[in-house]
Amino acid sequence: MEDIDAIAVLQDPVRRRLYEYVAAQGREVGRNEAAEATGVARTLAAHHLDRLTEAGLLESGSRRLTGRSGPGAGRPAKVYTRARAEWSVSLPARDYRTAAELLAEAAEQAGLDAVLCAAARRRGEALRGSASPCGGLEEAVEMLAARGYEPHLEGIEGAEGAQGAEDVEGAAARVVRMRNCPFHAVAERFPPLVCGMNLALLEGLLGADGPVRARMDARPGECCVVVESSKNNED
């Protein structure tokens, strides 16, 4: 399927809500849960979820949602997660990924890691503009969500992305993780270089002297950087 055809599948508003819900969870989602969360009938949700899977936007599998096994545990239910494939459309055609990979390769071979990080930090500061350093995790979640990082609050029940931001300051677990890396394709080929650049960019964006800080903490399937309260490391 062409990228434009896959993206066109999201034109249906119900289908798009279902996709956005599944993508936001960062885990397997069953049909009943997706239907309830988006306010549609289960049969309609199943139809659209399968259509999203056919388009390559979701991946499907099956497992028992009750947590039980053996006789009487019931049949496995169909579950869905966001597909790892990327989809993009550019009219007319553009190939920025190849350019980014060539520049990353040249920078890595020339040992320009420090130069790249310095440039990334300046860019982050420019994006922040005249604003003060990020004032807290609540504000950081909003900033990161606006830039496509898909932040979520680790260890806080029900806190998915920006929706749980108001509960951050009183929470015991003060770490914001990000389900999406905007530089994923290039980072896979040049992880030290691009992850270091990403960290520097977020340091500049959030500000070095505020109450939050970015640090490296790679985890499979997520951005390599996390954001936490700077008080976490004060003794």
Side-chain angles (χ1 to χ4, degrees):
M1 176 176 287
E2 297 290 337
D3 286 15
I4 193 169
D5 295 326
I7 293 173
V9 169
L10 295 173
Q11 184 175 1
D12 182 283
V14 174
R15 200 173 291 155
R16 183 165 183 171
R17 289 205 310 273
L18 286 162
Y19 172 79
E20 290 174 344
Y21 179 78
V22 173
Q25 305 316 302
R27 56 174 172 77
E28 294 177 329
V29 174
R31 289 171 167 175
N32 288 339
E33 178 186 347
E36 183 177 350
T38 55
V40 300
R42 182 185 184 280
T43 52
L44 181 61
H47 166 74
H48 285 305
L49 290 166
D50 286 341
R51 182 71 184 90
L52 289 164
T53 302
E54 292 170 7
L57 297 168
L58 297 181
E59 295 176 355
S60 65
S62 61
R63 68 177 177 86
R64 288 188 173 90
L65 300 178
T66 61
R68 295 182 300 167
S69 60
R75 295 174 59 188
K78 201 163 186 178
V79 291
Y80 303 84
T81 56
R82 180 168 60 181
R84 293 184 58 83
E86 290 185 17
W87 305 93
S88 63
V89 175
S90 176
L91 298 173
R94 297 287 187 263
D95 190 5
Y96 300 113
R97 175 173 171 176
T98 296
E101 290 177 347
L102 288 171
L103 290 168
E105 183 178 356
E108 188 173 75
Q109 291 179 355
L112 297 178
D113 303 56
V115 176
L116 177 61
C117 286
R121 192 170 290 105
R122 289 195 299 270
R123 175 58 63 92
E125 292 168 352
L127 291 171
R128 179 162 48 90
S130 59
S132 301
C134 183
L137 292 183
E138 176 179 341
E139 185 179 342
V141 166
E142 295 175 356
M143 294 171 67
L144 294 166
R147 302 206 63 79
Y149 283 92
E150 299 183 6
H152 66 102
L153 309 175
E154 185 176 73
I156 303 175
E157 184 178 357
E160 297 296 335
Q163 286 78 5
E166 64 272 15
D167 299 326
V168 179
E169 300 304 335
R174 304 174 65 85
V175 176
V176 177
R177 291 190 177 271
M178 295 165 272
R179 293 197 176 99
N180 183 50
C181 172
F183 317 110
H184 172 73
V186 186
E188 278 197 320
R189 287 197 58 189
F190 308 96
L193 182 76
V194 178
C195 291
M197 177 199 75
N198 187 28
L199 175 62
L201 177 70
L202 292 181
E203 287 174 342
L205 181 66
L206 299 172
D209 302 321
V212 301
R213 71 168 193 134
R215 65 176 174 84
M216 202 76 74
D217 187 11
R219 179 184 287 183
E222 295 188 346
C223 177
C224 58
V225 178
V226 299
V227 177
E228 65 183 5
S229 168
S230 57
K231 296 178 182 178
N232 283 8
N233 298 286
E234 292 180 2
D235 295 324

